[in-house]
């Protein structure tokens, strides 16, 4: 499995609040789950990501009908190498491995979440 820097996998991030029974995000944006803080209970928002185009194309080829349902990051030293996180993608039926990225400790994740909030004005409703 290939290893990439996080910036080689993800292009951008934003928090999205629910509307009409779902999270209305623009096309090409996917829920990014698995890290602490990506579900913002206080503001009822979920972190969405935009994949870099080559990664998105690769993931779409593996998905049923090319439809990506969500992206999940798995942080587990038991499963992964102690310095990496596994990036997984899901279609409507299954989840599969995409690549590995460097481990983000909790403090680094919190800084990342804070940066997304400050850069995007906390939420986006579309």
């Amino acid at each position: 499995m290939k290893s990439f820097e996080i910036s080689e996998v993800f292009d951008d991030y934003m928090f999205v609040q629910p509307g009409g029974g779902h999270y209305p995000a623009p096309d090409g944006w996917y829920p990014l789950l698995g890290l602490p803080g990506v579900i913002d209970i206080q503001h009822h928002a979920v972190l969405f990501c935009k994949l870099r185009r080559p990664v998105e194309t690769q993931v779409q080829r593996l998905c049923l009908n090319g439809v990506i349902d969500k992206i999940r990051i798995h942080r587990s030293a038991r499963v992964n190498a102690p310095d990496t996180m596994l990036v997984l993608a899901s279609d409507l039926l299954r989840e599969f491995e995409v690549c590995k990225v460097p481990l983000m400790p909790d403090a680094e994740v919190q800084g990342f979440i804070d940066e997304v909030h400050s850069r995007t004005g906390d939420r986006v409703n579309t």
Side-chain angles (χ1 to χ4, degrees):
M1 175 179 319
K2 291 185 177 182
S3 292
F4 295 104
E5 293 298 318
I6 290 176
S7 62
E8 294 175 300
V9 178
F10 301 104
D11 195 31
D12 204 358
Y13 312 88
M14 69 176 167
F15 277 91
V16 177
Q17 290 180 311
H22 67 285
Y23 288 86
D27 287 341
W29 287 82
Y30 309 102
L32 177 61
L33 306 174
L35 295 174
V38 298
I39 298 176
D40 184 341
I41 296 170
Q42 180 180 355
H43 296 100
H44 309 287
V46 172
L47 185 68
F48 275 63
C49 66
K50 182 148 184 72
L51 297 170
R52 293 232 176 247
R53 190 67 190 140
V55 175
E56 183 179 34
T57 300
Q58 172 197 355
V59 171
Q60 285 174 328
R61 276 191 229 125
L62 298 170
C63 288
L64 177 66
N65 293 330
V67 177
I68 301 169
D69 184 45
K70 71 176 182 258
I71 305 296
R72 183 171 72 88
I73 293 181
H74 183 76
R75 293 190 319 166
S76 170
R78 179 185 284 180
V79 175
N80 306 320
D83 59 346
T84 63
M85 302 183 298
L86 189 59
V87 176
L88 302 128
S90 298
D91 58 22
L92 297 174
L93 299 175
R94 63 190 177 92
E95 182 175 73
F96 49 88
E97 298 174 350
V98 174
C99 63
K100 289 185 178 185
V101 294
L103 178 68
M104 288 178 72
D106 284 350
E108 189 177 333
V109 171
Q110 186 57 54
F112 160 74
I113 295 294
D114 292 345
E115 187 274 327
V116 172
H117 277 303
S118 67
R119 183 178 48 80
T120 62
D122 288 339
R123 324 278 145 244
V124 173
N125 282 320
T126 58

